């Protein structure tokens, strides 16, 4: 069994994973250790440059400098000097390949996917090259560890106790869901244009009627609302088409109902063809909203 099982590079300030090796271990203990490593990555800014967390079967080692940290899951048989020598080598390789600006601007996990191959090569080198060939490097790291020992944690320390981390309540550890809609179609664009036109007509007629009614009579308040409520409904239909909203089927039905009832109420101020036009646009927009689905979520990487 290899001594170094898994390695990754993360951003210190927020624990964003930048690159990682591919692991082939699926035991429950290893998966639990991976989960704790992710939690620990979120808290690296609290700890000094080097640290270790040991459990029953595996140990986690991390080494950080500036805004980049390298982390590894190792067998308990792996000497600490070897683990930290590996992490330091990995850190130098990464920082030589990417400048701090690129690291700071990274916005998605595993943005430096091409570095995975470098991690695999360095990991293979430390797992399968004899320690006698690395004596000088290991000796230097061993001296550094004796002079400044790494912080020692337990795997339990990597957990967030009672949902509180660093004195603040942790609201959400997982990334927020990314709701990406399917591309807009030509018919969808047409429905948006018609909907905006209907909304504009309703707004203009409603404001004009309100100006007249406030000067002459108050009994036409119902007509004013019959123009303005469909105006709001048309705008909201545009929003529902462009952006994902939970429970959108119920919202679409409600907006369609407002538009239909408003136009039926306006019979007399609008002729039959005008009413059918507004209702037809509302049905077209509703159909486009309900048929535009979320895209299937694509994984950012195969790690």
């Amino acid at each position: 069994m290899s001594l170094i099982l898994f390695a990754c590079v993360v951003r210190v300030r927020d624990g964003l994973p930048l690159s990682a090796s591919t692991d082939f271990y699926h035991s429950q203990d290893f998966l639990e250790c991976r989960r704790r490593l992710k939690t620990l990555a979120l808290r690296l800014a609290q700890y000094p440059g080097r640290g270790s967390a040991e459990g029953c079967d595996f140990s986690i080692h991390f080494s950080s400098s500036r805004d980049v940290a390298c982390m590894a899951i190792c067998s308990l048989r792996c000497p600490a000097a070897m683990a930290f020598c590996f992490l330091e080598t990995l850190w130098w390789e990464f920082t030589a390949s990417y400048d701090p600006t690129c690291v700071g601007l990274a916005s998605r996990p595993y943005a430096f996917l091409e570095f995975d191959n470098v991690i695999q090569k360095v990991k293979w080198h430390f797992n399968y090259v004899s320690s006698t060939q690395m004596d000088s490097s290991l000796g230097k790291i061993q001296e550094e560890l004796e002079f400044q020992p790494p912080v020692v944690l337990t795997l339990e320390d990597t957990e967030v106790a009672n949902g509180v981390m660093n004195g603040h309540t942790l609201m959400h550890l997982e990334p927020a869901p990314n709701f990406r809609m399917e591309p807009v179609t030509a018919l969808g664009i047409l429905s948006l244009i018609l909907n905006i036109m209907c909304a504009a007509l309703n707004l203009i007629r409603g404001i004009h009627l309100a100006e007249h009614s406030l000067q002459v009579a108050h009994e036409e308040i119902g007509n004013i609302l019959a123009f303005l409520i469909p105006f709001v409904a048309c705008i909201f239909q545009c929003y529902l088409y462009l952006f994902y909203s939970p429970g959108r089927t119920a919202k679409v039905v409600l907006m369609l109902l407002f538009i239909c009832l408003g136009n039926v109420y306006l019979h007399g101020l609008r002729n039959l063809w005008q009413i059918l036009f507004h209702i037809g646009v509302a049905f077209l927009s509703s159909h486009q909203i309900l048929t535009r689905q979320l895209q299937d979520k694509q994984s950012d990487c195969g790690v």
Side-chain angles (χ1 to χ4, degrees):
M1 184 178 182
S2 302
L3 297 178
I4 300 172
L5 309 176
F6 172 80
C8 63
V9 181
V10 303
R11 190 165 59 192
V12 173
R13 73 169 186 263
D14 56 5
L16 180 74
L18 304 174
S19 181
S21 66
T22 302
D23 64 82
F24 303 97
Y25 308 98
H26 304 289
S27 68
Q28 190 61 39
D29 290 341
F30 180 80
L31 295 177
E32 175 66 14
C33 195
R34 279 284 305 271
R35 186 182 68 81
R36 292 174 185 264
L37 179 143
K38 291 179 182 179
T39 304
L40 178 59
L42 296 170
R43 308 173 66 185
L44 285 177
Q46 301 177 28
Y47 299 118
R50 287 175 178 158
S52 300
E54 292 193 357
C56 296
D57 299 312
F58 305 102
S59 59
I60 298 174
H61 301 279
F62 65 87
S63 178
S64 63
S65 180
R66 298 195 287 272
D67 200 29
V68 174
C70 297
M71 307 180 72
I73 297 177
C74 303
S75 165
L76 289 179
R77 297 183 295 106
C78 180
M82 178 179 175
F84 285 111
C85 187
F86 164 73
L87 294 176
E88 184 172 288
T89 302
L90 208 57
W91 186 90
W92 281 109
E93 291 282 351
F94 186 85
T95 54
S97 302
Y98 307 101
D99 61 71
T101 303
C102 293
V103 174
L105 293 177
S107 59
R108 63 180 180 85
Y110 306 104
F112 305 98
L113 196 62
E114 64 278 3
F115 191 74
D116 293 7
N117 291 330
V118 178
I119 298 179
Q120 289 291 106
K121 291 176 182 177
V122 176
K123 186 161 70 79
W124 184 92
H125 177 79
F126 276 82
N127 277 331
Y128 298 105
V129 172
S130 63
S131 58
T132 55
Q133 298 181 37
M134 299 184 290
D135 278 346
S136 59
S137 299
L138 293 177
K140 177 177 175 294
I141 294 294
Q142 186 64 50
E143 290 178 3
E144 292 179 5
L145 295 179
E146 291 175 359
F147 177 73
Q148 189 175 7
V151 62
V152 178
L153 308 170
T154 65
L155 287 185
E156 285 70 24
D157 292 331
T158 64
E159 287 288 6
V160 181
N162 298 322
V164 176
M165 185 172 66
N166 198 22
H168 300 280
T169 302
L170 185 65
M171 299 304 295
H172 204 280
L173 283 177
E174 298 178 359
N178 182 18
F179 296 120
R180 189 182 296 275
M181 305 291 289
E182 291 178 346
V184 174
T185 62
L187 190 58
I189 294 175
L190 176 63
S191 72
L192 283 175
I193 294 172
L194 294 175
N195 222 341
I196 292 172
M197 184 173 70
C198 289
L201 290 172
N202 286 323
L203 180 62
I204 293 171
R205 290 291 303 276
I207 291 176
H208 177 75
L209 189 61
E211 291 176 347
H212 174 74
S213 299
L214 290 176
Q215 295 175 6
V216 178
H218 295 282
E219 57 268 15
E220 296 193 13
I221 297 298
N223 290 335
I224 296 172
L225 292 177
F227 279 116
L228 296 183
I229 291 176
F231 158 71
V232 174
C234 288
I235 296 300
F236 195 60
Q237 277 193 328
C238 293
Y239 172 83
L240 290 174
Y241 179 73
L242 292 173
F243 305 102
Y244 176 79
S245 177
R248 61 177 179 161
T249 301
K251 295 174 183 176
V252 167
V253 172
L254 187 61
M255 295 304 105
L256 181 61
L257 184 63
F258 282 151
I259 293 172
C260 291
L261 291 178
N263 279 278
V264 170
Y265 187 87
L266 291 171
H267 183 62
L269 293 178
R270 280 179 172 160
N271 62 43
L272 181 61
W273 291 109
Q274 290 173 325
I275 293 173
L276 290 177
F277 172 76
H278 282 266
I279 292 177
V281 170
F283 271 98
L284 174 63
S285 297
S286 300
H287 177 266
Q288 290 302 302
I289 293 169
L290 295 177
T291 54
R292 189 181 183 211
Q293 302 296 324
L294 290 172
Q295 283 186 345
D296 293 333
K297 186 175 180 181
Q298 299 295 324
S299 175
D300 285 328
C301 64
V303 178

